[in-house]
Amino acid sequence: MNANTDLTGAPLPPEDSRSATITGTGHPKATKLFPTGSRRERPGVLALTIGFGLVAVCLIGLFTSPSAAIGGAWCIGMMLVLLFLSVPVAIALSVPSIIGVYAVSGIPATMNILATAPFSAVSDWSMSVLPMFIFMGMLLTQSGLSGKVYRVADHWFSWLPGGIGIGTTFAGAGLSAVTGSTIGMTYALGRAGIPEMLKAGYDKRMAVGTIMVSGMTGNLIPPSILMVVYAGIASVPVGPALMAGALPGIVLAVCFAAFIFALGVVAPKLVGRGQSAKTATDANTTRPTTTWSDRFTSLTSVWGFAVILVVLFGGMFSGIFTPTEAGAAAALCSLLLCLWEKRGEHPWRKVADSAMDTVAATSAIFFIMIGATMLTSLLAITGLAPILTGLITDLGLSRIGFLLVLIVLYIVMGMFFDTLSMMLLTIPILLPTLETMGVSPLWFGVFVVLLGEFAMVTPPVGIIPYIVHSIAKNSEVNLGATVTLRDIFISLLWFLPVGVIFLILMVAVPGMTEWLPDLISRTSGGMPG
């Protein structure tokens, strides 16, 4: 995975990509879970020349360094250079680590890491939940259920002030939780949601802002692939890690929804209240009126999603399933649902496609986790980890100060990397400092995932605003309205204070992450992986 890729390691969509649409009325093309294309241009000849020159400098510094710790620092520098050169994260993590271990400890230690790291990084039983969750997301997308979730949310909340935006927020949280890709969800929901809000008379800044923040919560709400990956890196139980993000994710989604509702009440013109719902280019694009009968009828289209939620959460709360078993059961339900929804449309081909995509996605994530394990070994062998911990401790930072520094670090990194890349690069380095700072590893996982999502939407460095801007250039999306980058940034100035307040709330009330895991542990008699 690199800066041009999503969670699976597959390339991201180009600006004119039309592959990521959400099924609505009629029979449009089904959503692709992880669209293809490129987020930014690959480095040119000059950048490559400078980059590989810097790699050569790091190699010389490594093999001539007077101490193991300094050699480890050169390896960290080499990793950063490779990442900026768009080298896949797994390679950028593993190759400098292997070279560093060889330079410090010789061939025996290098052979030992090559023999043990791949197995130890991914062989834990609790990691088997990862392909189950990915398979579930792929199947739900192939079945068309993901698009129906958006339509149901739209039907149920459209009557409220700002109701379409509220529905989009909840749909985005659900879709990004299921797909595991904030970027993929942004493409899909942006192409469906922006024109719907514009048809209803929404201010264009309100429409794009809602899309940008709607996926921030999805990677906290189970089944969260990122929380599973964090559990593997930090060696914390998968079950509590999954449940730790649920309450913060739901609360943040509610906060954004409440903010949209408040704007709908205070400034109704922003959400199309009291004005014509037609666009400037087509007088026939007004949204149809939704009745209560339509709302209840729409629920029948997502009955399968409700069954999966009951199996997933009901199984864990009751103690019938461990989180790993619940993931497998939910994947089985998704398989049966896909076969039913696509009956007569070559359903087994859909299942086969989902299985192949799951193998590709799981392999990409596992390779990255292997690279992170090698980085951890490098930090231990060179003694760099305790030195970094000592440096942070010597700064005299309080717990609050330490977390504020992390917020700035992740916002800057969000310019170049997605959330998973940032986590795998920083967590092995930061984990040894948590105990010194009095930070719970479970709480820290939720905090880091949220920070990564926050960094991806924060202007001017975040990636998501530029993705939404590219989507909004499409005439089928903007319906004739011109959406500038300035409009994108202004919209985020409206929404991001809500996220900042929530970050402060998380720091002030760390018990928010512990409540649900403790409740499940009490009701089910324990929560093994």
Side-chain angles (χ1 to χ4, degrees):
M1 182 187 299
N2 58 29
N4 295 330
T5 60
D6 63 14
L7 185 60
T8 67
L12 291 172
E15 285 190 2
D16 61 349
S17 171
R18 299 188 181 187
S19 62
T21 58
I22 287 185
T23 304
T25 57
H27 300 282
K29 190 175 181 179
T31 306
K32 289 188 67 175
L33 182 59
F34 297 111
T36 57
S38 176
R39 179 189 307 170
R40 61 180 174 83
E41 295 295 328
R42 293 191 179 277
V45 175
L46 178 61
L48 287 173
T49 303
I50 295 173
F52 284 112
L54 292 174
V55 170
V57 170
C58 291
L59 285 171
I60 294 171
L62 168 62
F63 284 98
T64 60
S65 58
S67 68
I70 294 177
W74 280 112
C75 290
I76 298 297
M78 194 189 314
M79 288 179 198
L80 294 175
V81 173
L82 291 175
L83 287 169
F84 281 112
L85 289 175
S86 296
V87 173
V89 175
I91 296 175
L93 291 175
S94 57
V95 170
S97 298
I98 294 169
I99 296 174
V101 170
Y102 169 75
V104 172
S105 300
I107 292 179
T110 306
M111 296 302 294
N112 181 61
I113 285 181
L114 288 172
T116 60
F119 181 79
S120 62
V122 300
S123 62
D124 190 279
W125 166 248
S126 61
M127 286 296 100
S128 62
V129 74
L130 189 61
M132 293 296 100
F133 282 161
I134 295 174
F135 190 41
M136 180 182 71
M138 299 287 183
L139 288 167
L140 291 178
T141 302
Q142 289 283 0
S143 68
L145 187 61
S146 298
K148 294 175 183 177
V149 170
Y150 172 73
R151 290 298 168 188
V152 170
D154 182 16
H155 282 333
W156 275 90
F157 294 102
S158 59
W159 62 278
L160 291 168
I164 305 172
I166 293 171
T168 301
T169 299
F170 289 130
L175 292 176
S176 58
V178 169
T179 64
S181 172
T182 303
I183 293 172
M185 184 285 305
T186 300
Y187 267 92
L189 198 60
R191 290 191 61 85
I194 292 175
E196 289 297 321
M197 285 184 272
L198 292 178
K199 287 177 187 178
Y202 275 54
D203 185 281
K204 58 186 178 181
R205 294 165 294 183
M206 192 72 183
V208 295
T210 301
I211 296 297
M212 284 187 284
V213 301
S214 60
M216 286 182 63
T217 62
N219 279 309
L220 295 176
I221 302 171
S224 170
I225 295 172
L226 291 183
M227 291 305 298
V228 175
V229 172
Y230 173 81
I233 302 172
S235 299
V236 299
V238 170
L242 279 172
M243 292 298 105
L247 182 61
I250 293 170
V251 171
L252 181 56
V254 170
C255 288
F256 280 128
F259 174 72
I260 294 171
F261 177 81
L263 283 182
V265 173
V266 175
K269 288 187 177 181
L270 292 178
V271 295
R273 290 271 166 159
Q275 58 180 307
S276 174
K278 61 186 179 183
T279 66
T281 60
D282 188 355
N284 297 318
T285 56
T286 54
R287 286 169 52 89
T289 302
T290 302
T291 66
W292 282 102
S293 175
D294 294 332
R295 295 185 179 99
F296 284 106
T297 302
S298 69
L299 293 177
T300 60
S301 65
V302 292
W303 62 268
F305 195 71
V307 170
I308 292 171
L309 291 179
V310 170
V311 170
L312 190 63
F313 292 103
M316 284 190 286
F317 269 102
S318 64
I320 296 175
F321 297 137
T322 66
T324 304
E325 293 165 347
L332 176 60
C333 290
S334 300
L335 171 61
L336 298 175
L337 179 66
C338 184
L339 293 175
W340 172 258
E341 292 286 342
K342 293 301 177 179
R343 61 193 184 279
E345 300 179 39
H346 306 290
W348 288 108
R349 184 178 300 171
K350 303 288 186 183
V351 173
D353 290 343
S354 298
M356 293 299 294
D357 291 341
T358 299
V359 171
T362 305
S363 300
I365 293 174
F366 278 0
F367 272 118
I368 294 173
M369 293 179 67
I370 291 169
T373 301
M374 291 180 174
L375 172 59
T376 302
S377 300
L378 172 73
L379 295 175
I381 291 173
T382 60
L384 194 58
I387 291 175
L388 291 173
T389 302
L391 287 175
I392 295 174
T393 304
D394 292 342
L395 290 175
L397 295 174
S398 63
R399 173 178 172 272
I400 302 296
F402 172 65
L403 297 176
L404 289 176
V405 169
L406 286 186
I407 291 173
V408 175
L409 172 66
Y410 270 79
I411 288 175
V412 173
M413 290 182 68
M415 178 178 181
F416 307 102
F417 311 122
D418 58 23
T419 305
L420 181 60
S421 302
M422 290 188 280
M423 287 172 57
L424 290 162
L425 183 63
T426 58
I427 288 172
I429 298 174
L430 295 173
L431 276 176
T433 67
L434 296 184
E435 185 176 352
T436 304
M437 292 294 172
V439 177
S440 162
L442 201 60
W443 179 90
F444 186 68
V446 178
F447 184 69
V448 166
V449 170
L450 181 58
L451 269 186
E453 296 296 306
F454 198 87
M456 290 178 70
V457 302
T458 305
V461 296
I463 294 167
I464 295 294
Y466 301 101
I467 291 176
V468 172
H469 182 235
S470 70
I471 296 170
K473 290 179 180 178
N474 191 307
S475 60
E476 295 177 4
V477 174
N478 61 39
L479 303 182
T482 301
V483 181
T484 65
L485 201 55
R486 182 174 179 271
D487 294 326
I488 299 285
F489 289 165
I490 289 175
S491 69
L492 283 172
L493 290 177
W494 297 352
F495 284 90
L496 285 185
V498 179
V500 172
I501 293 171
F502 184 79
L503 278 175
I504 296 172
L505 178 65
M506 267 199 68
V507 174
V509 190
M512 183 190 304
T513 62
E514 308 281 349
W515 177 78
L516 189 56
D518 289 345
L519 175 63
I520 296 180
S521 182
R522 290 195 304 269
T523 57
S524 65
M527 196 194 302

